[in-house]
Amino acid sequence: MNLIKLNAIDSTNSFLKEMAKNSSLENYTVVVAKDQTNGRGQQENTWASEPFKNLTFSAFINDLNLELNHYKYFNFAISLGVYDAISKYINRQLFIKWPNDILSANQKICGILIENSISKGAMKYAVVGIGINVNQETFYENLSKASSLKNITGKSYNLDELLVEVVTAIKLRIKQLLDKEYDTLENDYLKVLYKKNIPSMFKTAENALFMGKIIGISNSGNLKVELGDETIKEFGIKEISFA
């Protein structure tokens, strides 16, 4: 990979997106920051990270030419790549929470933000931002469900080595995507999907509560939830959360 190391930046995704607009980037160009001052998550959420303790980076992934109705498999590939790398260190109660958070038990240790370039009805390239809590031990009160590799395993980790492992694992999953191993990607994703087939209480964006269970991912990438009357409803990002 073509690696660009920065001491501090507001957002590695924003930095890499600007580079992609203004220059021809090598596939798997990676921008990693020791201190990310304004990291971004899904739907304009922020990603807070203690400087020099965590892995915050973005990867440029090109030559995809992926039809939009296959986009969910790209998300599967990225999520599983990160999951595969982390599972070498945490091998129990590790899940992917839809669409692409990585949890240990119910504590978040990784967030992923995927931003695509679409042209002529196909996804040409993506900038994938990944934040992994690695050696950070304390978190803000409003991040009570956050944890880190160090908190879970009691060990410290070399960030440079972990970066190589994560990118290598993502490359293997992207190869599956390009080889059109869609069933493998979906099956592997669903095996580790958080609370799949477990009756759970959900909350809508309007704060309405309901019971249901996650049964899968729709063709458009939405979450499929079976309700109490056995009907199935789809939800997009931020439309529901666990209550």
Side-chain angles (χ1 to χ4, degrees), residues 74 84 147:
F74 182 79
D84 292 341
S147 191

Side-chain angles (χ1 to χ4, degrees), residues 31 40 60 72 94 119 137 152-153 160 183 188 214 231:
V31 175
R40 295 185 292 121
F60 174 80
K72 71 173 184 177
L94 192 66
S119 177
E137 296 179 83
I152 294 163
T153 67
D160 292 336
D183 287 346
D188 287 353
I214 296 169
T231 60

